[in-house]
Amino acid sequence: VRLRPVAAGVCNCLRGSRVLLATAKPSVLQFSGLGQALEAFLERCTRAASPPLTYELNDEGAPLLDDLPTNITIALYRIVQEAINNTVRHAHASKIEVRIIQQEEYLQIIVEDDGLGLSKLPGRRTGGLNNIDTRASLLQAKFATATRENGSGTRLEITLPNSSITPRTTGPVNPCAPT
C-alpha cells in the first residue's frame, strides 16, 4: 500500500521519458546528417545482433539530404530506425541493406533484408509497421512493404515526392512578412 505512490511516480517518469524520446532529435543527425546517422545506427544494431547481421548502406542522395527540413529528416530517420529494429528483432536475417535514392521527382528509401519475410496475414500490420505507416502519411510519403523478389526477406519502401518537401531556410522566418 505504501509503495503505490512510488509506483505511480515511476510510471509517470517512464511516460515522460517516452514523450521526450519520441520528440528528441538524435544528436548524430545534427552533426553528421541523415546518411551518417543511419550508418551509425546500422553499425550499432548489427554489432549487437544475434544471429550475426551484416549491413550495406548505399546513399545516393547525400548532397541533397542536408537540405531537408529538420522535421522530415527526423521522421525519415525514425522510419528507417524502426525498419532496422524490426529486422534485428523479428527477421532472423543475415543481411540488411538500406538504399537512399534521390531522383528529380522523389526521395526514396529502401530497406531490404534476407530474413523470414512478412506475416502471411493479409492487411495485418504490427505496431512497428503501423508507426512507419503513420510517419510516412504525415510526410505525404508512400509506404509499401513486400516480399523480396527472390521470395525471402522483406522489402520496405518509403517514397517522398519532392513536391512535398519545403526546402530549409537559412535564417529565421517572419510569419508576418508579406509573401
Side-chain angles (χ1 to χ4, degrees):
V1 175
R2 292 173 31 201
L3 292 178
R4 283 189 184 148
V6 173
V10 169
C11 287
N12 283 336
C13 286
L14 287 173
R15 271 194 292 275
S17 296
R18 286 186 184 118
V19 169
L20 181 63
L21 287 172
T23 58
K25 179 179 181 182
S27 62
V28 70
L29 277 175
Q30 252 175 324
F31 300 114
S32 305
L34 183 60
Q36 289 182 341
L38 290 174
E39 185 160 23
F41 187 74
L42 278 163
E43 175 66 30
R44 271 195 322 273
C45 287
T46 57
R47 190 176 337 116
S50 178
L53 183 63
T54 61
Y55 76 89
E56 185 176 333
L57 174 67
N58 295 309
D59 183 358
E60 300 169 22
L64 301 168
L65 291 178
D66 293 337
D67 294 331
L68 289 175
T70 303
N71 64 322
I72 292 177
T73 303
I74 293 170
L76 291 173
Y77 178 81
R78 296 290 188 211
I79 287 169
V80 178
Q81 185 180 42
E82 185 70 47
I84 293 166
N85 282 333
N86 285 347
T87 295
V88 170
R89 290 184 188 142
H90 308 295
H92 301 285
S94 63
K95 182 176 182 181
I96 185 169
E97 181 180 358
V98 177
R99 288 193 308 276
I100 303 170
I101 303 162
Q102 178 70 51
Q103 297 290 329
E104 191 172 317
E105 307 84 34
Y106 60 84
L107 170 68
Q108 186 174 54
I109 299 179
I110 300 169
V111 181
E112 285 188 302
D113 67 57
D114 64 354
L116 299 175
L118 295 170
S119 168
K120 303 299 181 212
L121 300 174
R124 184 161 188 267
R125 287 195 166 157
T126 62
L129 291 178
N130 281 333
N131 292 341
I132 292 171
D133 194 28
T134 299
R135 287 183 194 274
S137 294
L138 292 171
L139 293 176
Q140 301 175 342
K142 293 179 186 172
F143 169 56
T145 58
T147 300
R148 287 181 26 180
E149 291 177 12
N150 65 5
S152 70
T154 300
R155 178 182 173 99
L156 178 145
E157 293 180 10
I158 298 294
T159 306
L160 179 64
N162 288 337
S163 61
S164 52
I165 301 172
T166 304
R168 186 184 334 190
T169 59
T170 53
V173 176
N174 180 354
C176 301
T179 56

